[in-house]
């Protein structure tokens, strides 16, 4: 969790939990973030935050106390120096949506600050950032505004959000959360809010009021030179040795880890960051001196924005290790029980909570497959550039020299789910791997990107793979034309499995619904005491039982005999009682292993936001990530070491979407997390709106934030038949019945519907509640008066209407299939219903279908007999509003043609949407 101390009279005093996130510019703070890792250890991140008005004595005390805290916790933490206005993203991720320090500070022996109650002061803030928001107060003047950023003007009665013309929708959504924070914090949830678009006055009342506070409207210059938000200039790393508080330059040609001595402390000056590396054998006083030397280096160079990051040998961060040439493989640092006892005693003397250093419980159990195993499986073998469908009896027999494509359709809560994958054998050729990838991509595209794509290599299969095959046998050699051609042209030995020859199979699995027989080299070292094996030489068959194998392993071996040698009797041999004939077949008796083959462990997950331009991949880690961090305009990579997920937002450019798998492969090639990732690590490509449970389990996933698209039955590519199995075909399942199916929806679009209507406002990323009429049509209030704050809400929502044609169809596509009662007059015909319910997809973008109808554009009444009015008069912010209408159903007074133009659908299709989705669209169009 999170613990915070404030420096008071040169002592660290705990800050109550209810005050976490509240900082004063005249103070210094220490923040400890402790995270339990899957390997059972604790990760400590220690930050000391310095307000812009804090005294040098308080900041020095915070720096020294941070070192002491790290020592008390066993020297395993990473320490960060945070300066007000230039905090690290990791620090800001602890306090969402933002931190806004207050003026003043605690009275200390060196500084006295009085904190007085005062009247509300109008303040101007600049907001920057798509995931973590940097909020900084700037002078209340027109010269502070620019086209690139978002500004929030907090007045006594209203909060304005000024959206720079070059700002993105993600930045606007995050700034909207800051507006809500200010409303709750400074106004007790009781004030109006309004949005002002850069360069768009358009006689808007809110815009006029906003510019009036600056002395009148005036266009901003096309180019502005605002204060840079970045860090101090970076330059090539420079290594310095700290000797008795003095720095000595270290000469080197190549920066390597060998330059670092465990008995010394070093500074690695990278310009924008200074790293303090402390050897494991250094004294506490040396570490303090190294920290002070880094502070002095910043003062001498006048670099107020640079960060200082202090780390202990063995606990270096990924970014620090990436500065060095070929940093050796990281070994898990271990803290002995004796060390823990010493740490506990030290903490007790200093008054700390001794329980804080207790070792967490390691996560030993392997996660269960998060996929329904009762679905329908289809498999193709790749031959040159084509795919050949395999019959039911052949689809669970793979060859190591071949490539395969599989399509697995399984039931979900809201329809059929689909997983399309490629499997590359260890000896498969590159040409057929490329062909398999291309064919699988076309299959996903034909399903309108609603299927999950996975790329697998033999020996690196994830836990979801084997259960869908149930009984899989992997033979040596190959059956594809490409493999045979390769063997023939290169004169290689063809070791393809032969029933009449010698073959050894290792049997593995968890049960009859998840078992595999894998052909291995027929030599003694291939044996393992933890498994059972099947050995045959023509019609001579042995079953070898390892001493460490279980009764289940033996049962699986018996079952696999029915597949490999169904009509022959096998002789069972227990380890240690083998016949001479057994060893003769294997060549010679020799030593073999008894350790079970370990799978790649699943480590703590990391989320990265990616940009891919001209073959160059750039990533930025999202700390303390949540579902809301994944923006619909971006691509994200979720790395859990055992597999890597590439999540593609619905609004990602079509050309970039097509490169999603290449982005994942580049990520593995560069080994960005420096985890020694294999280039054969499983890669999943998941499109927004089709997230499977084996992906969402890494989040606290909220299905209320998502809309489930209507699923259509997929068809087999070779027969055209439905791939939904009947009950007789369905297989037993090991899948949890408690699973929750969810669908992703962009948090940026969620923020669009936020209305700030009450002090106990919901989280901005959740869907709006269902609106209930507070009055009947016959007893409607004065229609001339719009609802309270409707104009400001509509203006705020309107800031996200760029481009409106993209946002509205997107929400329609994501709508769940929910039937709403409707009048007989408004019920569509079945043919029209089918056309309207499923929008088309072209080039990866949703295109709302247009239904051709005979509509009289000038008819005074609509199909329900209601009068029709122009859209401009029905808007909540209209200067000439219509009177005597039901203000909760403004959209019904639009003509059919204008309704279709504004909403992108017919009135009948709109009536079928859930109420909250209707309200969201009405808000966007200023009709609610």
């Amino acid at each position: 969790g999170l613990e915070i101390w404030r420096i008071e009279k040169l002592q660290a005093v705990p800050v109550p939990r209810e005050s976490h996130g509240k900082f004063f510019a005249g103070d210094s703070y220490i923040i400890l973030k402790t995270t339990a890792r899957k390997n059972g250890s604790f990760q400590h991140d220690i930050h000391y935050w310095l307000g812009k008005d804090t005294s040098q004595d308080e900041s020095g005390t915070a720096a020294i106390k941070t070192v002491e805290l790290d020592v008390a916790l066993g020297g395993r933490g990473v320490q960060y120096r945070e300066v007000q206005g230039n905090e690290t993203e990791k620090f800001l991720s602890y306090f969402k949506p933002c931190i806004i320090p207050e003026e003043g500070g605690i009275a200390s022996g060196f500084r006295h600050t009085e904190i007085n109650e005062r009247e509300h002061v109008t303040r101007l803030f600049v907001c920057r950032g798509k995931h973590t928001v940097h909020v900084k107060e700037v002078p209340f003047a027109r010269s502070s505004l620019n086209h690139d950023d978002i500004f929030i003007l907090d007045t006594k009665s209203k909060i304005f959000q000024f959206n720079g013309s070059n700002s993105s929708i993600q930045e606007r959504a995050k700034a909207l959360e800051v507006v809500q924070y200010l409303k709750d914090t400074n106004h007790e949830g009781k004030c109006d809010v309004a949005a002002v678009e850069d360069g768009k006055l358009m006689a808007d009342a809110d815009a006029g009021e906003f510019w009036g506070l600056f002395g009148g409207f005036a266009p901003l210059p096309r180019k502005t030179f605002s204060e840079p938000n970045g860090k101090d200039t970076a330059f090539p790393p420079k290594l310095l040795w700290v000797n008795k508080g003095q720095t000595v330059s270290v000469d080197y040609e190549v920066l390597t880890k060998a330059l670092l001595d465990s008995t010394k402390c070093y500074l690695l000056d990278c310009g924008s960051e200074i790293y303090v590396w402390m050897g494991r054998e250094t004294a506490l006083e040396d570490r303090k001196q190294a920290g002070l030397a880094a502070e002095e280096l910043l003062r001498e160079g006048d670099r107020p924005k640079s960060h200082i990051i202090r780390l202990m040998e063995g606990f270096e961060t990924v970014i620090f290790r990436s500065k060095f040439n070929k940093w050796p493989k990281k070994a898990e640092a271990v803290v002995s029980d004796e060390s823990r006892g010493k740490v506990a005693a030290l903490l007790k003397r200093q008054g700390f909570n001794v329980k804080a250093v207790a070792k967490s419980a390691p996560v030993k159990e392997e996660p269960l497959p998060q996929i329904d195993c009762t679905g329908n499986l289809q498999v193709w073998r790749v031959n040159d550039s084509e795919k050949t469908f395999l019959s039911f009896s052949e689809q669970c027999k793979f060859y190591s020299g071949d490539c395969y494509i599989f399509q697995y359709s399984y039931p979900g809560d809201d329809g059929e789910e689909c997983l399309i994958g490629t499997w590359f054998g260890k000896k498969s050729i590159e040409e057929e791997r490329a062909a398999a990838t291309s064919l699988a991509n076309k299959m996903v595209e034909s399903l309108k990107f609603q299927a999950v794509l996975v790329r697998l290599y033999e020996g690196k299969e994830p836990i979801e793979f084997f259960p869908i095959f149930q009984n899989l046998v992997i033979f040596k050699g190959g059956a594809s034309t490409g493999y045979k051609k390769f063997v023939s042209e290169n004169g290689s030995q063809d070791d393809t499995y032969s029933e009449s020859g010698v073959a050894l199979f290792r049997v593995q699995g968890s049960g009859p619904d998840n078992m595999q027989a894998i052909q291995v080299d027929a030599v003694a070292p291939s044996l393992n005491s933890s498994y059972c094996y099947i050995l045959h030489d023509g019609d001579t068959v042995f079953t070898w039982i390892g001493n460490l194998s279980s009764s289940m392993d033996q049962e699986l071996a018996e079952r696999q005999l029915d597949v490999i040698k169904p009509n022959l009797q096998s002789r069972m041999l227990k380890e240690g009682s083998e016949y001479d004939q057994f060893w003769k077949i294997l060549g010679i008796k020799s030593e073999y292993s008894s350790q079970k083959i370990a799978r790649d462990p699943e480590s703590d997950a990391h989320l990265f936001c990616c940009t891919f331009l001209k073959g160059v991949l750039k990533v930025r880690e999202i700390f303390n990530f949540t579902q809301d961090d994944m923006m619909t305009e971006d691509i994200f990579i979720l790395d859990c070491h055992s597999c890597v997920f590439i999540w593609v937002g619905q609004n990602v450019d079509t050309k970039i979407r097509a490169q999603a798998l290449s982005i994942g492969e580049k990520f593995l090639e560069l080994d960005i997390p420096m985890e020694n990732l294999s280039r054969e690590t499983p890669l999943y490509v998941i499109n927004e709106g089709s997230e499977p449970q084996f992906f969402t389990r890494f989040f606290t996933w909220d299905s209320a934030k998502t809309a489930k698209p209507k699923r259509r039955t997929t068809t087999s590519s070779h027969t055209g038949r439905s791939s939904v199995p009947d009950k007789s075909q369905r297989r037993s399942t090991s899948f949890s019945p408690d699973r929750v199916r969810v669908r992703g929806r962009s948090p940026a679009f969620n923020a669009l519907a936020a209305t700030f209507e009450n002090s106990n406002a919901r989280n901005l990323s959740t869907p709006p509640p269902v609106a209930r009429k507070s009055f009947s049509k016959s007893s409607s209030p004065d229609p001339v008066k719009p609802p309270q704050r409707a104009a400001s809400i509509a203006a705020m929502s309107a800031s996200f209407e760029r481009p409106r044609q993209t946002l509205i169809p997107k929400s329609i596509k994501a709508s769940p299939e929910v039937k709403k009662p409707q009048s007989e007059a408004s019920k569509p015909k079945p043919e029209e219903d089918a056309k309207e319910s499923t929008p088309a997809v072209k080039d990866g973008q949703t295109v709302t279908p247009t239904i051709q109808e005979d509509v009289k554009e000038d008819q005074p009444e609509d199909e329900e007999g209601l009068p029709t009015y122009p859209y401009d008069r029905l808007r909540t912010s209209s200067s000439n509003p219509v009177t005597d209408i039901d203000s909760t159903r403004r959209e019904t007074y639009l003509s059919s043609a204008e309704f279709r133009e504004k909403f992108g659908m017919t009135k009948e299709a709109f009536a079928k949407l859930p109420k909250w989705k209707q309200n969201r669209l009405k808000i966007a169009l200023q009709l609610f």
Side-chain angles (χ1 to χ4, degrees):
L2 198 66
E3 296 179 77
I4 302 178
W5 296 266
R6 178 163 61 177
I7 303 302
E8 300 179 10
K9 298 180 179 179
L10 307 186
Q11 296 297 320
V13 178
V15 174
R17 189 166 299 276
E18 58 269 18
S19 297
H20 284 189
K22 187 175 183 180
F23 296 89
F24 289 92
D27 290 333
S28 296
Y29 296 82
I30 297 174
I31 298 91
L32 169 63
K33 172 67 172 179
T34 303
T35 307
R37 303 183 63 191
K38 287 197 172 184
N39 62 6
S41 66
F42 280 126
Q43 174 182 318
H44 298 298
D45 291 296
I46 310 173
H47 307 255
Y48 61 104
W49 184 89
L50 310 177
K52 63 182 179 64
D53 299 325
T54 191
S55 70
Q56 187 172 344
D57 301 272
E58 287 178 340
S59 62
T61 300
I64 292 174
K65 291 291 184 184
T66 298
V67 176
E68 293 178 356
L69 176 60
D70 182 44
V71 172
L73 293 172
R76 293 172 287 165
V78 179
Q79 305 164 41
Y80 302 84
R81 175 182 180 266
E82 309 284 353
V83 178
Q84 180 180 343
N86 195 49
E87 295 86 356
T88 61
E89 293 203 354
K90 173 171 278 193
F91 177 82
L92 292 175
S93 70
Y94 307 148
F95 308 102
K96 293 181 178 179
C98 65
I99 63 169
I100 302 179
E102 298 291 331
E103 293 298 321
I106 193 70
S108 72
F110 299 91
R111 182 176 182 83
H112 299 273
T113 305
E114 297 293 335
I115 304 174
N116 299 319
E117 293 293 330
R118 53 187 173 84
E119 292 293 326
H120 183 89
V121 176
T122 298
R123 303 168 72 186
L124 181 65
F125 302 95
V126 60
C127 296
R128 299 184 177 107
K130 290 164 50 175
H131 301 285
T132 54
V133 185
H134 294 259
V135 180
K136 182 179 179 181
E137 185 173 1
V138 294
F140 176 28
R142 184 189 287 111
S143 58
S144 297
L145 304 177
N146 62 60
H147 297 293
D148 300 319
D149 298 316
I150 297 173
F151 294 83
I152 296 174
L153 182 62
D154 183 11
T155 70
K156 186 175 183 179
S157 59
K158 184 180 287 189
I159 301 176
F160 297 88
Q161 178 175 322
F162 175 83
N163 299 317
S165 57
N166 297 331
S167 62
S168 67
I169 191 170
Q170 301 104 311
E171 292 171 315
R172 299 181 183 198
K174 285 296 180 181
L176 204 57
E177 296 182 15
V178 177
V179 170
Q180 177 68 52
Y181 172 81
L182 288 171
K183 178 182 176 183
D184 292 339
T185 305
N186 297 349
H187 302 270
E188 299 180 344
K190 299 175 183 178
C191 74
D192 291 339
V193 294
V196 178
E197 286 297 310
D198 180 13
K200 297 180 181 179
L201 187 59
M202 298 173 61
D204 185 276
D206 290 322
E209 184 180 354
F210 173 80
W211 288 110
L213 295 170
F214 288 91
F217 173 77
L220 299 178
R222 187 171 297 274
K223 290 185 178 181
T224 60
F225 299 92
S226 58
E227 182 182 349
N229 185 45
K231 303 169 184 175
D232 292 316
T233 305
F235 50 74
K238 181 179 180 182
L239 187 63
L240 305 167
W241 166 44
V242 181
N243 181 22
K244 296 180 180 179
Q246 302 298 316
T247 57
V248 180
S249 181
V250 178
D251 296 328
Y252 59 88
E253 292 184 2
V254 180
L255 187 61
T256 62
K257 186 180 183 297
L259 296 170
L260 305 178
D261 188 338
S262 297
T263 63
K264 298 177 181 178
C265 293
Y266 295 86
L267 304 183
L268 184 65
D269 188 357
C270 302
S272 56
E273 302 96 10
I274 295 181
Y275 294 91
V276 181
W277 186 88
M278 299 170 287
R280 177 60 62 183
E281 300 175 26
T282 55
L284 174 59
E285 190 59 34
D286 292 337
R287 300 176 191 178
K288 291 181 179 179
Q289 291 294 328
L292 295 175
E295 299 266 4
E296 184 62 28
L297 193 62
L298 288 187
R299 282 193 293 270
E300 290 177 355
D302 190 23
R303 292 186 281 165
K305 292 188 175 183
S306 291
H307 295 121
I308 295 177
I309 303 171
R310 299 185 293 204
L311 28 79
M312 183 62 66
E313 178 183 2
F315 296 92
E316 297 87 356
T317 63
V318 171
I319 298 178
F320 176 81
R321 286 182 279 138
S322 68
K323 307 289 184 184
F324 290 76
N325 183 46
K326 297 181 180 178
W327 186 278
K329 181 179 178 180
K330 183 181 179 183
E332 289 291 340
V334 178
V335 179
S336 66
D337 292 335
E338 181 183 357
S339 298
R340 293 181 189 280
K342 292 179 179 178
V343 171
L346 176 60
L347 286 179
K348 211 167 187 177
R349 289 197 301 270
Q350 296 186 358
F352 286 93
N353 180 8
V354 178
K355 294 181 181 179
V357 292
K359 185 176 175 64
S360 66
V363 181
K364 293 182 179 179
E365 67 276 5
E366 187 175 279
L368 296 173
Q370 304 289 315
I371 191 168
D372 192 303
C373 301
T374 66
N376 188 61
L377 178 66
Q378 300 170 74
V379 184
W380 296 262
R381 178 186 294 119
V382 176
N383 287 299
D384 287 332
S385 59
E386 304 295 330
K387 66 180 192 287
T388 303
F389 179 75
L390 300 182
S391 65
F392 178 79
S393 61
E394 295 296 318
Q395 68 179 10
C396 290
K397 296 179 180 179
F398 282 14
Y399 287 86
S400 290
D402 295 341
C403 296
Y404 296 84
I405 300 172
F406 61 90
Q407 177 174 320
Y408 181 63
S409 305
Y410 56 97
D413 288 345
D414 61 328
E416 191 174 72
E417 304 296 329
C418 187
L419 175 66
I420 294 176
T422 57
W423 183 91
F424 301 152
K426 290 181 178 178
K427 293 189 176 181
S428 59
I429 62 174
E430 201 59 45
E431 291 78 6
E432 289 189 337
R433 292 181 181 182
T437 300
S438 176
L439 292 168
N441 280 328
K442 291 179 180 178
M443 292 171 66
V444 173
E445 186 176 354
S446 69
L447 295 177
K448 305 187 188 307
F449 298 98
Q450 291 185 353
V452 173
L453 176 67
V454 61
R455 186 220 63 181
L456 306 175
Y457 281 87
E458 180 184 356
K460 292 286 186 179
E461 299 88 351
I463 57 175
E464 287 79 24
F465 175 75
F466 290 125
I468 66 177
F469 283 84
Q470 295 194 346
N471 183 9
L472 181 64
V473 181
I474 301 178
F475 298 102
K476 283 179 169 290
S480 69
T481 54
Y483 175 80
K484 292 177 180 178
K485 187 187 302 182
F486 175 80
V487 170
S488 173
E489 292 177 355
N490 291 274
S492 305
Q493 181 180 356
D494 188 357
D495 59 353
T496 301
Y497 170 75
S498 171
E499 291 185 3
S500 60
V502 176
L504 179 66
F505 294 88
R506 183 181 72 246
V507 179
Q508 62 187 38
S510 60
D513 294 332
N514 180 6
M515 58 180 181
Q516 305 87 44
I518 300 174
Q519 186 178 0
V520 295
D521 293 336
V523 292
S526 296
L527 299 175
N528 189 309
S529 301
S530 296
Y531 297 91
C532 295
Y533 289 78
I534 296 172
L535 173 67
H536 75 70
D537 183 2
D539 293 340
T540 303
V541 184
F542 295 98
T543 303
W544 186 83
I545 309 299
N547 287 336
L548 300 179
S549 63
S550 64
S551 57
M552 176 58 72
D553 294 329
Q554 298 173 32
E555 180 185 343
L556 297 184
E558 290 295 323
R559 289 175 178 268
Q560 290 291 11
L561 277 171
D562 295 336
V563 178
I564 299 172
K565 288 291 183 179
N567 301 317
L568 294 176
Q569 185 67 33
S570 172
R571 284 180 282 181
M572 183 178 294
L573 301 175
K574 288 194 174 183
E575 182 180 0
S577 58
E578 300 87 354
Y579 299 151
D580 290 340
Q581 184 183 5
F582 175 84
W583 294 116
K584 185 177 181 180
I585 295 174
L586 293 180
I588 186 173
K589 185 176 182 179
S590 59
E591 293 184 355
Y592 48 81
S593 175
S594 61
Q595 297 293 323
K596 200 150 192 170
I597 299 173
R599 297 174 51 85
D600 284 340
E602 186 178 278
S603 64
D604 302 282
H606 298 272
L607 185 68
F608 301 88
C609 182
C610 306
T611 56
F612 192 61
L613 186 62
K614 296 182 180 180
V616 178
L617 176 64
K618 294 183 179 180
V619 302
R620 184 165 60 88
E621 184 170 1
I622 309 300
F623 300 102
N624 298 294
F625 62 85
T626 66
Q627 176 185 354
D628 293 344
D629 285 315
M630 295 191 297
M631 300 291 188
T632 189
E633 293 82 5
D634 290 327
I635 289 181
F636 291 83
I637 288 180
L638 181 69
D639 168 36
C640 62
H641 188 75
S642 60
C643 57
V644 170
F645 300 90
I646 302 100
W647 183 91
V648 184
Q650 287 188 2
N651 287 351
V652 169
D653 182 81
T654 307
K655 294 180 180 179
I656 300 297
R657 180 189 298 273
Q659 301 180 71
L661 193 61
S662 299
I663 290 174
E665 291 173 338
K666 195 71 174 178
F667 182 85
L668 295 179
E669 177 189 342
L670 298 176
D671 191 18
I672 289 173
M674 298 189 72
E675 296 176 338
N676 297 285
L677 285 172
S678 168
R679 297 185 67 171
E680 298 181 355
T681 299
L683 287 177
Y684 290 89
V685 177
I686 299 173
N687 289 281
E688 180 184 6
S690 300
E691 295 88 351
Q693 190 178 1
F694 52 81
F695 171 79
T696 61
R697 68 189 178 92
F698 293 99
F699 301 80
T700 303
W701 201 267
D702 185 0
S703 57
K705 297 179 182 179
T706 63
K708 302 177 183 180
K710 180 179 178 181
R711 293 284 182 173
R712 289 190 285 178
T713 301
T714 56
T715 56
S716 166
S717 301
H718 71 287
T719 64
R721 62 180 175 81
S722 170
S723 63
V724 178
D726 58 33
K727 291 184 179 179
S728 63
Q729 292 175 304
R730 293 212 174 169
R731 305 180 284 186
S732 61
T733 177
S734 59
F735 187 67
S736 168
D738 299 325
R739 72 187 189 277
V740 179
R741 292 296 302 138
V742 291
R743 287 290 175 267
R745 179 162 63 85
S746 168
F749 197 87
N750 285 325
L752 173 90
T755 60
F756 310 110
E757 281 299 313
N758 58 74
S759 57
N760 298 319
R762 57 186 168 78
N763 186 298
L764 292 179
S765 58
T766 60
V770 176
R772 294 180 173 84
K773 295 181 185 179
S774 58
F775 49 88
S776 65
K777 183 176 179 181
S778 59
S779 59
S780 61
D782 183 3
V784 179
K785 258 187 187 178
Q788 184 182 12
R789 295 191 293 280
S792 61
I793 294 165
M796 177 64 73
S797 303
S799 66
F800 294 94
E801 290 185 45
R802 187 188 65 190
R804 178 180 298 161
Q805 288 75 9
T806 300
L807 289 177
I808 294 175
K810 173 178 177 291
S811 67
I812 299 166
K813 180 182 178 183
S815 62
E817 186 182 14
V818 178
K819 299 293 182 182
K820 293 289 182 182
Q822 49 187 322
S823 65
E824 292 298 324
S826 64
K827 286 184 179 178
K829 295 179 181 180
E831 296 84 354
E832 294 175 351
D833 182 22
K835 293 178 182 178
E836 294 164 3
S837 61
T838 307
V841 175
K842 183 178 182 181
D843 296 332
Q845 301 295 324
T846 305
V847 180
T848 305
T850 302
I851 309 299
Q852 299 296 329
E853 298 177 353
D854 293 329
V855 179
K856 295 181 180 180
E857 299 295 337
D858 56 348
Q859 62 183 12
E861 295 183 350
D862 71 353
E863 292 82 349
E864 296 182 4
L866 295 174
T868 59
Y869 298 97
Y871 168 71
D872 289 338
R873 295 194 63 194
L874 291 170
R875 290 189 308 149
T876 56
S877 58
S878 173
S879 58
N880 182 25
V882 180
T883 60
D884 299 326
I885 62 170
D886 183 352
S887 59
T888 66
R889 301 178 64 228
R890 295 173 183 271
E891 74 283 358
T892 60
Y893 298 94
L894 289 169
S895 67
S896 297
E898 194 164 19
F899 188 99
R900 200 164 57 243
E901 176 189 347
K902 297 298 181 184
F903 284 86
M905 68 183 84
T906 63
K907 291 184 179 181
E908 291 83 357
F910 178 80
K912 290 168 44 183
L913 297 177
K915 199 69 175 179
W916 67 265
K917 187 175 289 294
Q918 293 180 9
N919 291 341
R920 188 172 69 179
L921 295 176
K922 287 157 65 175
I923 288 172
L925 292 170
Q926 302 184 39
L927 293 172
F928 189 73

